[in-house]
Amino acid sequence: MSKLNNLPDMNDTIVISQEQQQSYRRDGHAMIRGLMRQDEVSSYRNLISDIVREHNYHTKPLHERDTYGKAFIQVGNLWKLNPIAEKFVLARRFAKVAADLMGVSGVRIYHDQALFKEPGGGHTPWHQDQIYWPLNTNHTITLWMPLVPVPAEVGSMRFVSGTHHNGYISKQEISDESHKTFKDYIEGKGLEQIDYGALDAGDATFHSGWTLHSAPGNPTANMREVMTIIYVADGTIISEPDSNARKNDLAQWLPGLRPGDIAASPLNPLVYP
C-alpha cells in the first residue's frame, strides 16, 4: 500500500488551449506534449510492462501470426488487474483533457488497453475504432500514450484528418481487407494524413472513435510500449449492436447492460468531473 500511496496520482488538471480544442473538433485528432512528466512515467512504466508480460496471450512467434497478431501485444482493462494501473487509468488529469477536447462536461472509462508493438512487429492496418463500440454518440475519444521514447521511424499513429465527421465509412474490422479498403478511400479522395513523428514518454495523442488511423511497424530493436484509455461522454446511451463485434463489446466492456441503458456499468466509472 505504501508503494501505491507514493505514486504520483495525476489528479491535478491542466488547461489546454482553445486552438487545441478547435483543432481536435475540426480534424478528429490532437497532440498534447508532456501530459505526463518523465518522473511520473518512470513511476508507472515497469509495473504496466510487468502486467503486459504476465497477460500476453501470444503463443506463436511473431512470424507465424496473422496481420492483427503481428501488430501488437494487447491487454485490456489493466485498471481491474492492479491498483497501481488503476491509479494511472483513472487519472483526472487525462480525463479532463479528453472532456475538454470533446467539449463535454463529463467522461467515463469505456476501457483501457496496453498496445505493445514488439521489435519487428508489423503495421496496424487502417481502421475506425468505433465500429466495435455499441455507443450511441460521436463523443468518444482515445488517449494514446507511449511509456518509452518513440523514434520517428516508429512514430505516432497516422491520422486522416476530418474523417470523424463521416461516421461509418466501412464496417470492416481491423484486417488486411480494412487496410486496402481504407487506403483506396484515402487515396481516392486525396485526404490529408498526419503523423506527429517522434514522441517522448508521456506525450499523448487523442483521436475520435470515428477518425481513420493506422500505425507503422516497428523496425527497431526496442518494444514500443503504449497505454491507451478510451473515454465516452457521461450519459451516453447504449445502442442496439448491429454486428458481432459490437455484441462482443457490449458483453465484455458493458456487462449487465442492455441497449437503451446508460453506458455506466461498474467497469465504466465516471472519471471527470
Side-chain angles (χ1 to χ4, degrees):
M1 185 60 70
S2 60
K3 183 178 181 180
L4 182 64
N5 291 337
N6 289 335
L7 284 170
D9 59 23
M10 291 143 347
N11 283 330
D12 58 334
T13 58
I14 66 170
V15 176
I16 60 172
S17 69
Q18 286 294 317
E19 182 181 0
Q20 287 171 313
Q21 295 176 49
Q22 292 167 2
S23 174
Y24 171 81
R25 293 169 203 172
R26 181 187 67 240
D27 297 332
H29 55 84
M31 164 64 77
I32 308 296
R33 299 281 181 184
L35 186 56
M36 284 184 80
R37 301 191 311 269
Q38 296 299 305
D39 62 297
E40 293 173 331
V41 178
S42 298
S43 298
Y44 286 91
R45 180 208 164 194
N46 288 340
L47 179 278
I48 291 172
S49 297
D50 288 345
I51 296 172
V52 173
R53 281 192 292 269
E54 180 182 352
H55 293 273
N56 178 12
Y57 60 86
H58 287 303
T59 57
K60 295 180 179 179
L62 194 63
H63 70 275
E64 293 182 10
R65 302 179 206 158
D66 63 12
T67 299
Y68 191 91
K70 290 175 181 176
F72 35 60
I73 300 169
Q74 184 177 27
V75 180
N77 266 6
L78 272 71
W79 78 275
K80 296 298 292 182
L81 299 176
N82 187 286
I84 296 177
E86 178 179 6
K87 197 167 185 176
F88 178 97
V89 172
L90 304 189
R92 181 180 172 89
R93 185 193 304 167
F94 305 163
K96 182 180 184 295
V97 172
D100 288 350
L101 287 172
M102 291 192 291
V104 301
S105 60
V107 291
R108 291 181 178 272
I109 298 292
Y110 183 49
H111 64 85
D112 69 61
Q113 287 184 315
L115 298 175
F116 281 31
K117 195 177 288 286
E118 297 156 278
H123 74 119
T124 306
W126 287 113
H127 64 285
Q128 293 177 292
D129 294 334
Q130 201 157 330
I131 68 158
Y132 293 94
W133 305 342
L135 300 170
N136 187 20
T137 183
N138 291 325
H139 291 313
T140 59
I141 193 169
T142 298
L143 172 155
W144 189 97
M145 178 185 286
L147 305 178
V148 294
V150 176
E153 60 265 37
V154 178
S156 77
M157 289 186 292
R158 185 171 295 118
F159 303 102
V160 185
S161 296
T163 46
H164 64 306
H165 296 302
N166 301 335
Y168 269 127
I169 299 172
S170 169
K171 293 187 178 182
Q172 289 179 325
E173 297 176 31
I174 184 170
S175 62
D176 293 331
E177 291 74 22
S178 76
H179 193 71
K180 182 181 186 308
T181 296
F182 288 128
K183 182 173 182 290
D184 291 345
Y185 175 85
I186 295 162
E187 293 176 354
K189 292 185 174 296
L191 299 177
E192 179 187 42
Q193 299 179 37
I194 296 294
D195 179 341
Y196 290 101
L199 294 89
D200 286 332
D203 289 344
T205 63
F206 288 79
H207 67 275
S208 165
W210 288 121
T211 300
L212 259 176
H213 59 286
S214 68
N218 180 6
T220 74
N222 301 313
M223 183 82 79
R224 188 211 69 182
E225 302 176 18
V226 166
M227 269 299 292
T228 69
I229 307 170
I230 303 163
Y231 301 92
V232 57
D234 185 31
T236 292
I237 301 298
I238 299 171
S239 58
E240 185 70 44
D242 55 0
S243 66
N244 286 333
R246 286 185 162 183
K247 289 176 183 175
N248 292 337
D249 256 38
L250 175 57
Q252 184 170 10
W253 308 120
L254 301 162
L257 301 183
R258 299 169 59 86
D261 291 341
I262 293 176
S265 83
L267 292 185
N268 315 114
L270 183 70
V271 281
Y272 182 80

